[in-house]
Amino acid sequence: MKLVLALLLTANGAAAQEFITANAPLSDTDFYRLVSCAAPLGGDCQKELVRWSPTNAQDVSIGIVQVEDGYPANVAQLAAVALASTIAKLNAVDAKLHVTLWDKEIKPDIGIHLLNIVEGDAIRNTGLNPLDGEIIEVAKVQLWWRDDFTLIKGAIVIGKDIDPADVTSIVLEEVTQSMGLLTDIGGHYYQRRSIFSESSNQLTALGAQDVMALRRHYPKLP
């Protein structure tokens, strides 16, 4: 099994965050290539295309698996509500992708960890390698995949200093990226047009090109 980590923090403009700037509208193809494989306009992919398998993508489970002592109860509740809302939004896209809320009987495909840490702290106590020890800003998503680039596991960490007003947007962004769309978009143009905006947490719904990208990543058979 090939282990790959993908760091994608929330849109705070942090230097450590991976993004490609686009200050003008992109064609659907260029937008999809940017968010799915980090291809700059007119350039080659800088990341592998990874996705949940066509079979598993029909039922990708996700849930909050850890709430550390000291994590703000109101933020944890907001995150739970935002997760339910995000699942509904992803399932409404009409792609070959179905996301389900973790039923707690088996481990979810993607686990969300609400940790009692703040920006600049090292992630700890998830039990996941190499996630523990990484430095967090607001949130981080990490995915694991096989040699054939099929996703097998995901994790999302959200620190306690997240602005409650940003929870809905950040959860939507991180969960959408955990579907395999692993690159943010820098620049002003997409700040109010895409959940992948690197510098904004304004959106609480998927943008038109976000929906397009999900459909391209998980196309239905004709």
Side-chain angles (χ1 to χ4, degrees), residues 25-106:
L26 298 171
S27 70
D28 283 353
T29 295
D30 289 333
F31 182 97
Y32 172 68
R33 294 183 72 245
L34 189 158
V35 298
S36 65
C37 71
L41 184 61
D44 296 329
C45 288
Q46 304 299 311
K47 298 176 184 175
E48 303 292 348
L49 279 167
V50 295
R51 54 172 61 88
W52 299 96
S53 74
T55 299
N56 289 343
Q58 297 176 20
D59 191 18
V60 178
S61 59
I62 185 169
I64 298 172
V65 298
Q66 182 182 14
V67 182
E68 270 198 323
D69 290 343
Y71 199 88
N74 66 314
V75 177
Q77 179 60 34
L78 287 170
V81 172
L83 177 59
S85 174
T86 290
I87 290 172
K89 290 167 186 173
L90 291 176
N91 289 337
V93 165
D94 194 30
K96 191 177 182 182
L97 172 72
H98 186 255
V99 185
T100 61
L101 187 63
W102 178 42
D103 64 10
K104 299 187 179 182
E105 293 184 1
I106 59 174

Side-chain angles (χ1 to χ4, degrees), residues 7-10 12 14 16-17 68 71 113-124 126 131-141 155-162 170 174:
L7 304 181
L8 284 155
L9 313 182
T10 55
N12 280 350
Q17 186 172 351
E68 270 198 323
Y71 199 88
H113 303 258
L114 306 181
L115 301 185
N116 187 26
I117 57 177
V118 299
E119 182 174 353
D121 286 347
I123 295 172
R124 75 293 172 93
T126 69
L131 188 57
D132 282 347
E134 294 290 333
I135 302 301
I136 194 171
E137 293 193 16
V138 175
K140 190 185 294 279
V141 56
I156 296 169
V157 176
I158 302 175
K160 71 175 181 179
D161 56 341
I162 184 173
I170 287 172
E174 299 300 307

